[in-house]
Amino acid sequence: GMSMGEEGASSGGLGAYTSYSMTGLIFKSARHPNRFVREISQQLMGTMCEILDEERVCGGESRIREELGLNIGFGLSDNWSQVRYAASIAARKFVMAATTEAHRALCLPLILPQLCLNRHYAADGVRFYSQQTWRMALGEDGKVWVARCVQTVVSYYVEQTKASNHMVREAACSCMSELVSKVERDAVKPHVPRLAACLLSSFRDASWPVRDAACLATGQCVLFFPEACRDV
């Protein structure tokens, strides 16, 4: 107590101590078992993106940029739509905080796969908000950014076809359809066998909307990449 008090009085160390304790608590709360705590954590992370200066949120030397991206991305994948919506608001504040190309290149890839998938999520609020954020943050360059981050995008989509929430599995299949039909072919082609094999597994899903989305996506794979799909 004494050493903290002395440092706080002499160099502002107490303020720094409080700041790091607070951010640590907020980030830890993003993984809390209670969904209301997770929702509040997302709201607080959004506030951090608003009130802290851009360099501290987005810069190359930022201590919190990766934690923000990781934990907002975690919220964007939450099974509860309310948490997912709170994370969608935080995600918009996070990506819009990055105003330079250098900062955008550091921040956008951290949550791009989740943001991309939520444009197809069944809950209207999350879907429409995510579509609007996508246009605000990326403009006409969405496909370029997906191609740039294709490895992590594909891995995330494949992972989400195994999610416990059937709406998420359906959205993942729809995203795969969009990926193979709209994104630069050379970027997508190496990943097509993996996508096709994953979609064939989704044909056996217990939920018929997931099977339907998998069927449509598989058709797109075969249509755009017949040779790459031949083995599966």
Side-chain angles (χ1 to χ4, degrees), residues 19-216:
S19 170
Y20 291 125
S21 298
M22 177 66 84
T23 54
L25 177 62
I26 292 169
F27 294 146
K28 187 176 180 182
S29 299
R31 312 297 179 109
H32 198 278
N34 185 305
R35 65 187 171 95
F36 296 106
V37 176
R38 299 199 302 276
E39 183 179 9
I40 291 167
S41 173
Q42 293 297 331
Q43 292 166 350
L44 287 167
M45 285 189 286
T47 301
M48 287 169 65
C49 295
E50 284 184 307
I51 66 174
L52 298 177
D53 64 83
E54 180 175 347
E55 194 64 37
R56 189 168 177 196
V57 173
C58 309
E61 301 300 314
S62 170
R63 296 188 181 192
I64 61 172
R65 183 192 70 253
E66 289 196 8
E67 287 272 27
L68 279 168
L70 191 69
N71 288 299
I72 292 172
F74 190 77
L76 289 171
S77 306
D78 203 279
N79 269 341
W80 287 93
S81 292
Q82 296 96 321
V83 179
R84 203 174 272 246
Y85 186 69
S88 300
I89 295 172
R92 180 180 294 186
K93 292 174 180 176
F94 180 58
V95 296
M96 298 310 288
T99 61
T100 69
E101 280 307 307
H103 286 171
R104 282 159 57 83
L106 289 170
C107 292
L108 275 168
L110 296 174
I111 60 168
L112 187 130
Q114 296 93 328
L115 193 58
C116 198
L117 184 138
N118 280 348
R119 291 159 51 252
H120 293 272
Y121 189 66
D124 290 346
V126 170
R127 185 171 74 255
F128 294 144
Y129 196 88
S130 299
Q131 289 170 359
Q132 192 177 30
T133 300
W134 187 266
R135 288 192 295 271
M136 289 168 66
L138 302 173
E140 298 298 313
D141 295 331
K143 290 184 282 190
V144 175
W145 275 95
V146 172
R148 192 180 297 178
C149 304
V150 70
Q151 180 73 55
T152 53
V153 168
V154 168
S155 293
Y156 183 71
Y157 289 173
V158 169
E159 174 192 314
Q160 293 304 296
T161 62
K162 301 172 179 67
S164 58
N165 185 332
H166 70 90
M167 293 189 297
V168 176
R169 301 197 303 274
E170 182 184 355
C173 291
S174 297
C175 283
M176 290 180 181
S177 178
E178 179 183 64
L179 183 67
V180 297
S181 61
K182 294 186 178 179
V183 177
E184 182 191 342
R185 292 174 60 85
D186 289 344
V188 176
K189 188 175 180 179
H191 304 281
V192 171
R194 185 183 180 194
L195 291 168
C198 177
L199 287 165
L200 289 176
S201 295
S202 294
F203 263 104
R204 298 189 291 275
D205 200 280
S207 166
W208 74 260
V210 177
R211 296 197 300 273
D212 190 41
C215 180
L216 292 169

